[in-house]
Amino acid sequence: MSNKPNIPGSLKEGYTHLQRVAQQQNQRLILWLSGHQAEVFKQLSELLKVRRDLRGSGFSANASINALFVSKAFASLDDALQDALNQYHVDICLHKTHLLGQQTETLIYDAFQGFDPDLFCAACGTLKAGGVLWLLSPSCETWLKQPDKDYLTALVYPHTIEKIRSRFISRIIQYLRDSSFVSHWCCDGKNWFTLAGEEMEPAELQASSAIGGIQYTNEQQQVMNAITKSLDTHLPLPIVVTADRGRGKSSAMGAAIARYSARSIKVLVSAPNAQNVQTLFTHCCSQLGISQQHKDRVLHESLEVYYVPPDELIGQPLDADLVIVDEAAAIPEFLLRKAVDKFKHIAFSTTVHGYEGTGKGFEIRFQPYLDQKKPNWQLCNLELPIRWGRNDKLETWLNNVFFLDRDFNPAIDKQQLDLNHCKLEVVTQEQLFSDSQLLEQVYSLLAQAHYRTSPGDLRDLMDGLNFKIWILTQQSCLLGCCLVAEEGGLDDDIISAIDRGIRRPRGHLIPQTLCQQMGYKEYAKYKIARIVRIAVAPSFQSSGLGSYLLANIEKVYMADNYPLIGSSFSAYPNVIHFWQRNQYLPVRMGFSKETSSGAHSLLVMKALGMDSDPIVDMSRQFSNDFHLLLSSEFRDMSGDVITAMACFLVNKNDGSLKNRERDISLVKSFIAGARTFESARPALTRLYLQSHGVLPKTQLTEQQYSEKQLEWELFIKHKTLKDLQQLGLVRGRKAAVTDLRKRFAKLDIDHDNQAADYLK
């Protein structure tokens, strides 16, 4: 506990003191304003005026952003506050993507509209050394009594927000109260300050020098030199750049690329999605002295830089003088290995500890491959932050609250593993809340095993309403954990609403998918256990521990009368093989690639306390659909994934007749507007071919040919709606789907002779 004094006084005096300490010590500090919303916002308006007066006449609306207001619902704020923010030139941010490239001296976070852990942590990354975070919140009592508004985004049907226990918010409040660098202004009529102490260690800022008008640290310049040396001396040595968030790895690589503006150089930049590489492109353009015209390419003189998704980087016949793979830890390891073998000059970068994920798995699994294949590969590790100093108070506080810098290391090694002495047990959220060490271990294990583990997942772990948390231990040593969402058990009214496409109850992913996307609405009333995350300590992987953990969880849910268990995951070959080894069957694959992973999601199921035939039928139907979709929606799928799926699929011909009536049902739902085109496409294709045949029986007029061309392109050539738009056959997606619904509505599905034959 800190011993900060409660000092009556004015807000101006307290803030002036705090800002002086922050600037003198190069520290980032927190000013916490709590109380009734109207009073806090009134104090905020006064504080903005104080801040302007402190900055003096040098303040200009045309200067770079100096203050940033982050809120989940800016439109709901009163007009007076909006006017004050505009008057004092405060920039507004409503989403994480708006924070890219931003930096500020004053960060204002509005927790009245909801404390979003991911948004909050990302926003803190914009605050420079000597800056102050202004945190606006309800009073502690109110914040705990009335659940935070951001919990609304994670509510599970049929629970209401009153069910939330606010353990996560309680943790935030505890760390705010106990931290010596937090100043607390209570807007409760008493107006008293809890002041941050002046005796704190100054934060050490890293030395830097200007390149092209932009400051780059010595560590960043070492990265630039390593990349240019690799190309200039024609040394085919992979380079790996690792860093915690805020160290400037992406900006360094962007500046390195710009050094080749006078040479004919082609650079491919890959990452899970194009948003990940915007900082790299921004710094490349800044060094070239040009404005960024495109999000996916930079073209200047003889220099060509293109963004390429990871699967295309490997699957397409591409060549390049240099390949840079950013956020490599989020990309499947098999793709990274192929990239090493395919390209001569390649650099990987990844965040080791960050707000969006952790790269420790990359270090554990991929770097040993480099040791074997390219033993002279070069590691560049950026240790010091660029916007704030070493030993920064705010970074330390964030790391402690959200376990951002924690690594999981089990107390025993793989040779000591004895499954006969392993114990599976449920850990309650109250246990995690009261045992911070156990909470840290469970969260760190999940973060290390799954790259995309974020601060928001910590909140779900502590307060999620339909989660069960299972841990596997040996001699009290944590070796694995599994998060299970208990879904289903829906009533007929909800199932009917889901089937008609008018309800999407949160927290029931598998029942909703079975009902709305696949037409198996009868299974939404069953209790279904969904494996959300299953994680084993990296040093224990490939030892059978994950399968052992899963098998024991299946036994528990079978005994608890759950007829079905399943999981939805990114379809990487190694993950597909894991579920196949454990006798799960694939029943659906998502049509769009996930933004976070760059892969399609795959839903797998297994029967526990029921006959397995229905799941086998689902998987057979999916096998039929998958083969059709390989030439359309899945035509860009990598060969590795297709190969893995080929081993996973049920024989596509067996039992196909049993699913024809379901095809008719899916087509009718599509016509009624309750199904998307993609989810009904396989059924539409089969029905179209049965009803119309592949080729016309008579010569068509030009008008008839034009009318039929759309159908042929879709159902015979297997083109996508996007392809049809590029061919000029449709104006847009909405118009195309409307047209298709009308065309199929004209087909008398129940009485058409060929359609009737199809049902026999």
Side-chain angles (χ1 to χ4, degrees):
M1 290 288 293
S2 67
N3 295 314
K4 297 179 290 187
N6 294 344
I7 303 175
S10 71
L11 182 60
K12 178 177 180 180
E13 292 171 352
Y15 172 67
T16 302
H17 162 84
L18 184 65
Q19 188 64 70
R20 175 174 56 82
V21 172
Q23 293 179 350
Q24 287 178 349
Q25 306 297 332
N26 285 323
Q27 288 284 2
R28 299 184 301 165
L29 305 180
I30 295 180
L31 172 59
W32 178 21
L33 283 75
S34 67
H36 189 272
Q37 177 173 315
E39 184 61 29
V40 170
F41 284 171
K42 177 182 177 182
Q43 297 289 343
L44 172 62
S45 298
E46 295 181 10
L47 197 59
L48 288 171
K49 182 178 184 302
V50 172
R51 177 184 174 276
R52 182 198 62 182
D53 294 342
L54 286 176
R55 290 178 58 81
S57 59
F59 183 76
S60 169
N62 297 321
S64 60
I65 297 171
N66 293 300
L68 188 63
F69 184 87
V70 181
S71 175
K72 297 269 295 188
F74 178 71
S76 65
L77 303 181
D78 61 65
D79 294 340
L81 179 59
Q82 293 191 35
D83 291 342
L85 294 172
N86 291 327
Q87 178 184 353
Y88 297 114
H89 313 290
V90 179
D91 199 50
I92 310 300
C93 171
L94 303 176
H95 193 270
K96 275 199 310 182
T97 56
H98 301 159
L99 296 169
L100 287 172
Q102 299 268 34
Q103 55 181 332
T104 183
E105 295 174 354
T106 302
L107 173 65
I108 309 167
Y109 189 91
D110 172 21
F112 284 101
Q113 313 309 319
F115 189 92
D116 179 339
D118 295 334
L119 178 61
F120 176 77
C121 288
C124 288
T126 68
L127 189 63
K128 299 193 299 183
V132 178
L133 162 64
W134 302 1
L135 176 61
L136 319 178
S137 82
S139 66
C140 298
E141 295 75 15
T142 302
W143 208 1
L144 291 172
K145 188 183 302 181
Q146 300 176 0
D148 186 82
K149 290 182 180 179
D150 201 58
Y151 279 118
L152 289 170
T153 63
L155 274 184
V156 174
Y157 176 86
H159 297 291
T160 61
I161 198 167
E162 288 74 25
K163 294 284 187 179
I164 299 291
R165 294 295 302 275
S166 299
R167 302 177 190 90
F168 174 77
I169 294 299
S170 181
R171 178 179 177 83
I172 297 295
I173 291 173
Q174 176 187 340
Y175 273 82
L176 286 169
R177 284 174 164 173
D178 292 353
S179 299
S180 61
F181 82 111
V182 177
S183 293
H184 188 187
W185 174 265
C186 292
C187 307
D188 60 357
K190 299 177 183 178
N191 291 341
W192 55 266
F193 244 125
T194 301
L195 283 174
E198 295 190 46
E199 297 181 3
M200 63 178 68
E201 180 184 357
E204 176 189 348
L205 298 180
Q206 190 177 178
S208 63
S209 56
I211 300 176
I214 300 176
Q215 294 289 325
Y216 292 95
T217 66
N218 294 338
E219 289 182 335
Q220 287 179 295
Q221 293 179 49
Q222 289 172 10
V223 171
M224 298 180 208
N225 294 336
I227 292 174
T228 53
K229 181 181 179 181
S230 174
L231 273 177
D232 292 343
T233 59
H234 303 288
L235 294 173
L237 301 179
I239 297 168
V240 175
V241 182
T242 60
D244 287 354
R245 191 185 188 280
R247 269 60 181 174
K249 55 181 177 52
S250 297
S251 55
M253 290 189 296
I257 293 172
R259 292 181 173 182
Y260 292 95
S261 60
R263 288 169 52 179
S264 180
I265 293 288
K266 182 179 180 181
V267 181
L268 300 181
V269 180
S270 191
N273 60 76
Q275 197 69 49
N276 295 130
V277 299
Q278 291 313 299
T279 298
L280 185 152
F281 278 176
T282 297
H283 277 260
C284 181
C285 291
S286 296
Q287 290 299 316
L288 294 171
I290 61 174
S291 59
Q292 187 174 347
Q293 301 294 326
H294 307 280
K295 289 186 176 182
D296 61 352
R297 72 189 76 109
V298 175
L299 305 175
H300 180 68
E301 297 180 355
S302 299
L303 175 65
E304 301 176 41
V305 187
Y306 299 96
Y307 166 74
V308 180
D311 54 348
E312 291 184 21
L313 183 71
I314 301 305
Q316 300 297 324
L318 303 174
D319 64 321
D321 299 288
L322 173 66
V323 172
I324 290 179
V325 182
D326 205 357
E327 297 302 345
I331 296 173
E333 183 187 346
F334 79 95
L335 290 179
L336 301 180
R337 292 186 177 194
K338 290 195 170 189
V340 170
D341 297 335
K342 181 175 181 178
F343 298 103
K344 183 177 180 181
H345 297 285
I346 188 166
F348 301 92
S349 79
T350 193
T351 304
V352 180
H353 301 110
Y355 307 145
E356 299 86 12
T358 174
K360 292 301 291 183
F362 170 87
E363 176 184 325
I364 294 168
R365 291 185 289 272
F366 180 61
Q367 291 186 10
Y369 178 79
L370 288 178
D371 291 334
Q372 177 186 355
K373 299 288 290 188
K374 304 286 184 178
N376 294 321
W377 66 276
Q378 182 178 356
L379 174 65
C380 298
N381 182 39
L382 304 181
E383 294 184 358
L384 298 177
I386 56 175
R387 288 180 183 161
W388 53 88
R390 190 198 297 268
N391 302 322
D392 175 74
K393 293 293 184 182
L394 180 57
E395 182 174 54
T396 301
W397 186 83
L398 291 169
N399 288 340
N400 290 336
V401 174
F402 299 103
F403 306 125
L404 296 178
D405 63 344
R406 305 303 199 266
D407 296 329
F408 178 78
N409 298 299
I412 64 174
D413 58 35
K414 195 172 183 178
Q415 287 69 36
Q416 296 173 287
L417 176 63
D418 184 354
L419 295 180
N420 293 323
H421 290 87
C422 287
K423 180 182 178 183
L424 179 69
E425 59 184 314
V426 171
V427 176
T428 67
Q429 292 168 322
E430 282 297 330
Q431 285 176 279
L432 291 178
F433 176 61
S434 59
D435 187 344
S436 185
Q437 183 179 3
L438 179 60
L439 176 63
E440 176 182 334
Q441 288 183 329
V442 171
Y443 181 79
S444 299
L445 174 56
L446 290 170
Q448 198 155 302
H450 295 267
Y451 176 80
R452 289 291 172 183
T453 303
S454 69
D457 293 309
L458 178 63
R459 180 185 65 185
D460 293 341
L461 194 64
M462 299 181 72
D463 288 318
L465 289 173
N466 68 334
F467 277 138
K468 277 270 181 70
I469 305 158
W470 297 87
I471 62 171
L472 187 68
T473 60
Q474 179 177 325
Q475 298 172 350
S476 301
C477 172
L478 180 65
L479 299 179
C481 66
C482 184
L483 302 186
V484 182
E486 298 177 342
E487 303 182 342
L490 303 176
D491 61 43
D492 290 339
D493 290 340
I494 290 295
I495 292 173
S496 176
I498 295 173
D499 185 49
R500 287 178 287 137
I502 60 176
R503 286 290 302 273
R504 298 183 64 183
R506 287 194 184 98
H508 296 272
L509 186 148
I510 291 181
Q512 186 171 286
T513 302
L514 291 175
C515 178
Q516 213 276 324
Q517 297 294 332
M518 298 171 58
Y520 294 93
K521 62 181 181 180
E522 61 270 29
Y523 294 101
K525 64 179 62 176
Y526 292 172
K527 295 193 298 182
I528 303 175
R530 176 168 64 93
I531 308 297
V532 179
R533 295 277 183 93
I534 184 166
V536 171
S539 57
F540 283 82
Q541 291 178 0
S542 301
S543 65
L545 196 60
S547 295
Y548 176 84
L549 172 58
L550 183 59
N552 280 276
I553 287 174
E554 290 172 5
K555 291 177 183 177
V556 170
Y557 280 97
M558 181 181 293
D560 203 17
N561 297 318
Y562 274 73
L564 295 169
I565 189 170
S567 185
S568 178
F569 53 88
S570 297
Y572 301 148
N574 60 322
V575 187
I576 291 172
H577 293 322
F578 170 80
W579 292 100
Q580 182 186 16
R581 284 196 304 270
N582 288 281
Q583 288 81 52
Y584 284 70
L585 292 176
V587 297
R588 187 179 187 273
M589 180 172 277
F591 301 111
S592 301
K593 293 178 181 178
E594 296 177 325
T595 302
S596 60
S597 67
H600 295 274
S601 63
L602 181 64
L603 175 62
V604 297
M605 300 285 294
K606 186 176 185 178
L608 294 179
M610 62 176 283
D611 181 17
S612 63
D613 285 350
I615 305 302
V616 174
D617 285 343
M618 288 184 201
S619 194
R620 283 177 178 148
Q621 182 66 46
F622 169 68
S623 297
N624 290 330
D625 295 351
F626 184 80
H627 285 88
L628 283 174
L629 293 167
L630 274 177
S631 57
S632 54
E633 270 65 28
F634 299 150
R635 63 183 174 184
D636 294 328
M637 185 174 290
S638 72
D640 300 85
V641 176
I642 293 174
T643 301
M645 288 299 299
C647 300
F648 202 9
L649 296 172
V650 174
N651 187 321
K652 67 174 183 175
N653 294 316
D654 290 347
S656 59
L657 289 174
K658 298 178 182 179
N659 294 292
R660 289 178 174 175
E661 289 184 351
R662 191 172 304 282
D663 277 356
I664 297 296
S665 175
L666 287 171
V667 170
K668 288 182 176 179
S669 293
F670 169 75
I671 294 170
R675 296 275 187 281
T676 64
F677 169 74
E678 287 79 10
S679 65
R681 178 171 187 153
L684 291 168
T685 301
R686 285 187 288 268
L687 190 61
Y688 177 84
L689 295 177
Q690 289 289 334
S691 299
H692 293 79
V694 175
L695 296 174
K697 293 182 172 61
T698 58
Q699 186 70 30
L700 299 179
T701 65
E702 184 173 342
Q703 181 179 352
Q704 288 174 324
Y705 180 88
S706 177
E707 291 174 352
K708 289 290 183 183
Q709 188 180 3
L710 180 147
E711 299 169 10
W712 292 344
E713 294 288 345
L714 278 176
F715 303 118
I716 297 175
K717 295 184 179 180
H718 304 299
K719 296 290 182 66
T720 66
L721 293 177
K722 186 176 181 180
D723 293 331
L724 265 59
Q725 190 172 354
Q726 293 173 346
L727 290 171
L729 295 176
V730 296
R731 296 191 305 275
R733 175 186 172 83
K734 185 176 181 180
V737 171
T738 300
D739 182 36
L740 285 168
R741 285 185 171 130
K742 290 179 180 178
R743 291 181 188 227
F744 275 88
K746 293 178 182 178
L747 176 64
D748 189 354
I749 296 174
D750 293 319
H751 299 96
D752 184 278
N753 289 334
Q754 289 176 316
D757 290 340
Y758 172 65
L759 287 174
K760 291 179 181 178

